[in-house]
Amino acid sequence: MMNIKKLISASMVAVALSGCQREAVKPNVLFILVDDMQADAIAALGNRDTYTPNIDRLINEGVVFTRTYTNGALCGALSMPSRAMLLTGRGVFEVQSDGMKIPVSQITLPEHLKNNGYRTFATGKWHSDHASFARSFTEGDNIFFGGMHPYEENGHCAPRLHHFDPTGKYDEPPFAGQNFSSKMYADAAINFLKTTEHDNQPFMAFVSFTSPHDPRNILPDYGKKYSPAGLSVPDNFLPEHPFDNGELNIRDEQLLPVPRTPDQLKKELSLYYGMVSEVDLQIGRVIDALEESGNMDNTIIVFASDNGLAMGQNGLIGKQSLYEHSVGVPMAIITPDGLSSGKRSDALCYLYDLYPTLCDLMGLDVPVSVTGKSLKPVMEGKQEQIREQVFLAYSNQQRAVVSGDYKYIIYNVEGKITEQLFNLQKDPGELVNLADELTEKKNELHDLLMNQMVENHDFCDLTQPLWWKDGHKLTWDDISVPLKSGRIKY
């Protein structure tokens, strides 16, 4: 792979990043999304055990937002609402609770680009409905309408996929892929990029890998293999979580028996890192194809994960928590002019802020349905922050707020309240609970959280089990009344 950071002419930069819409210089977009990849698993972001040269190249040649969050989820399958948020530029209480359907009133990012003259292509995971996919993309192949490749169907080795259906119905049964999922998706992306070589029409390619999400029991022949003996356990490894967070029996937590041992975790990490490295290789193939197409000099590249993963940290294996390793995500933006190249920004942001950011970089208006905030001023060095705090939610039992160096988490599990306060600067592993020691700071952030819940249209009552009111469990219809009444504007 040649160097990504090639400079295009000053005139092209001025037009591509302004409001001008000259067809010849509209920037393309290559959006690379991975599944369940923690920032801790990337070599360029500090992991000394992993081999990720292609992701590292993207990290080192773009701007990395080191405090990016997915805003949370109201169900155990975080990727559904996370991807719905990313694609619509809206928060967790502004999309359907499980993310399985994107309403027509919420214009997706590829749909918006399609409406502005772009070819829009997709391959890989679309964890939402067929209708929203159909209105978003003009092309695609090897499409996966699901959350994960089941163990009983041979996992990633036989992904159940669809070819592009121009009718948008996708009523034919899926076919079983003959190659590992990541290769199937990369192959489809490469074939598409070949068609752009002499095409003046701008494009968006949405390449959505299902790796390194489990099953991890069978690794492909390609990619680096890891020996458990050569790996280290995270500094914040715990054999089990110190209290009931409401999700200790969910599927993800059953992948390893409790209490976990360092040796058990190292074996699991060896498989997880194997998946990270194999998808890294396929990402490299896609970037090579972009360069060979001649479009590198006019393409914005985004790299991100839909959510993180614990992998032994804080006594957890899955992602159903509000700790940094799970609700925090890696995110990098690489622009063809090298804007903020190699920069690390600690600006607080959500994954769904990518939508207005890309519109801003491309000189496109932002649809009124989008509520995210553009990060372009941070990339240009005009602002240090776009948000003073971020609000985080998980299920009906966990809420959190991050402000400055501190994170406050409150749990309500069957009426039992637990509070945590962490100094993320001094304690990034979130092991030292300061809630009893720094009561003034805890109360300050508790009040901030209450305000954020109101602002985010979260109607939970923290004085009783979350999502209950007047002794009755709230339904999604109860929660979504503001959306239906129009008090949340599209």
Side-chain angles (χ1 to χ4, degrees):
M1 188 191 308
M2 294 174 63
N3 196 317
I4 294 174
K5 192 173 54 180
K6 292 181 176 180
L7 294 179
I8 56 179
S9 69
S11 60
M12 184 174 288
V13 172
V15 174
L17 297 183
S18 73
C20 298
Q21 298 295 307
R22 291 216 315 252
E23 288 294 325
V25 293
K26 279 185 178 178
N28 309 304
V29 177
L30 173 60
F31 201 124
I32 299 172
L33 188 64
V34 288
D35 199 342
D36 277 13
M37 183 179 289
Q38 52 178 209
D40 294 345
I42 298 171
L45 295 180
N47 192 304
R48 292 172 293 181
D49 290 339
T50 55
Y51 179 70
T52 54
N54 297 298
I55 296 174
D56 291 351
R57 187 181 294 268
L58 297 177
I59 294 294
N60 292 329
E61 298 199 10
V63 54
V64 179
F65 291 91
T66 59
R67 303 187 76 184
T68 304
Y69 295 87
T70 185
N71 197 204
L74 307 181
C75 59
L78 272 68
S79 66
M80 284 191 290
S82 178
R83 288 162 184 259
M85 286 184 276
L86 184 155
L87 288 160
T88 62
R90 298 169 65 84
V92 68
F93 286 96
E94 299 173 321
V95 296
Q96 184 164 315
S97 60
D98 59 8
M100 275 305 292
K101 183 177 181 180
I102 299 176
V104 174
S105 58
Q106 298 177 12
I107 301 171
T108 71
L109 175 62
E111 180 183 11
H112 184 49
L113 268 60
K114 183 181 76 170
N115 293 341
N116 279 274
Y118 277 69
R119 295 175 64 185
T120 53
F121 166 89
T123 185
K125 180 173 176 175
W126 182 262
H127 208 175
S128 195
D129 59 306
H130 293 175
S132 61
F133 183 92
R135 69 174 189 265
S136 296
F137 297 103
T138 61
E139 303 166 63
D141 199 12
N142 295 346
I143 304 154
F144 176 55
F145 291 107
M148 63 176 287
H149 305 297
Y151 284 83
E152 59 271 20
E153 294 181 355
N154 210 20
H156 289 271
C157 296
R160 270 39 178 189
L161 309 174
H162 285 271
H163 296 301
F164 185 76
D165 181 356
T167 71
K169 295 179 180 179
Y170 294 96
D171 50 9
E172 293 293 322
F175 66 91
Q178 299 301 303
N179 291 302
F180 204 78
S181 66
S182 300
K183 186 177 186 302
M184 296 287 293
Y185 305 146
D187 285 350
I190 291 167
N191 288 336
F192 168 75
L193 289 170
K194 288 178 180 178
T195 72
T196 69
E197 185 172 356
H198 302 294
D199 187 2
N200 290 327
Q201 185 178 7
F203 66 83
M204 176 188 182
F206 183 67
V207 185
S208 179
F209 293 99
T210 46
S211 189
H213 195 298
D214 70 297
R216 296 183 283 268
N217 53 328
I218 303 176
L219 295 175
D221 293 336
Y222 63 83
K224 179 177 172 58
K225 303 300 185 292
Y226 295 82
S227 169
L231 301 179
S232 56
V233 298
D235 293 339
N236 57 347
F237 166 78
L238 294 175
E240 56 188 309
H241 196 261
F243 60 89
D244 185 2
N245 69 355
E247 290 286 32
L248 297 183
N249 295 316
I250 201 166
R251 184 201 74 91
D252 289 28
E253 294 304 323
Q254 297 176 5
L255 295 178
L256 283 181
V258 177
R260 287 113 189 186
T261 67
D263 286 342
Q264 286 175 317
L265 182 62
K266 287 180 180 181
K267 183 177 180 180
E268 193 68 19
L269 283 172
S270 70
L271 298 174
Y272 180 64
Y273 290 160
M275 295 284 283
V276 169
S277 287
E278 68 86 9
V279 76
D280 177 87
L281 186 150
Q282 298 300 339
I283 289 171
R285 292 182 62 220
V286 174
I287 300 300
D288 285 346
L290 174 65
E291 189 153 34
E292 290 167 4
S293 75
N295 286 299
M296 181 71 80
D297 289 353
N298 193 34
T299 299
I300 299 168
I301 304 174
V302 174
F303 170 80
S305 178
D306 55 2
N307 50 256
L309 199 62
M311 293 305 294
Q313 299 181 75
N314 299 103
L316 302 171
I317 295 297
K319 62 241 182 186
Q320 293 81 11
S321 76
L322 300 181
Y323 294 118
E324 294 290 290
H325 47 66
S326 293
V327 76
V329 296
M331 185 177 82
I333 304 173
I334 303 91
T335 55
D337 65 326
L339 181 67
S340 298
S341 178
K343 179 180 178 181
R344 302 287 191 271
S345 171
D346 62 0
L348 290 169
C349 61
Y350 295 116
L351 188 59
Y352 68 83
D353 289 328
L354 273 170
Y355 190 147
T357 302
L358 287 172
C359 288
D360 214 358
L361 290 171
M362 301 166 75
L364 299 177
D365 292 336
V366 180
V368 294
S369 59
V370 173
T371 61
K373 297 183 177 182
S374 173
L375 289 158
K376 185 183 177 186
V378 177
M379 298 177 67
E380 294 176 328
K382 296 178 180 179
Q383 293 179 211
E384 289 296 319
Q385 300 282 343
I386 61 167
R387 299 182 182 275
E388 295 182 0
Q389 64 276 316
V390 292
F391 164 72
L392 308 172
Y394 175 69
S395 185
N396 61 344
Q397 297 162 318
Q398 303 176 25
R399 296 292 183 272
V401 66
V402 178
S403 178
D405 292 339
Y406 287 91
K407 178 194 283 185
Y408 169 76
I409 311 176
I410 185 169
Y411 305 78
N412 190 327
V413 180
E414 297 182 355
K416 182 179 180 181
I417 305 293
T418 303
E419 296 176 286
Q420 293 180 310
L421 177 68
F422 300 110
N423 185 321
L424 298 176
Q425 181 67 30
K426 297 179 180 179
D427 177 30
E430 297 170 287
L431 289 175
V432 182
N433 185 6
L434 303 172
D436 292 335
E437 179 182 342
L438 302 180
T439 55
E440 185 175 344
K441 174 60 72 171
K442 180 192 73 173
N443 292 335
E444 173 193 330
L445 292 186
H446 177 88
D447 292 344
L448 178 61
L449 175 60
M450 297 302 102
N451 291 332
Q452 285 293 297
M453 290 176 68
V454 172
E455 287 188 20
N456 286 272
H457 314 285
D458 181 355
F459 299 99
C460 294
D461 183 351
L462 291 177
T463 64
Q464 52 185 313
L466 299 183
W467 291 74
W468 286 71
K469 185 175 183 181
D470 300 329
H472 298 284
K473 188 173 183 179
L474 298 175
T475 66
W476 176 249
D477 287 337
D478 297 320
I479 300 302
S480 60
V481 167
L483 290 144
K484 294 177 179 178
S485 68
R487 291 203 299 272
I488 299 176
K489 299 299 183 183
Y490 290 127

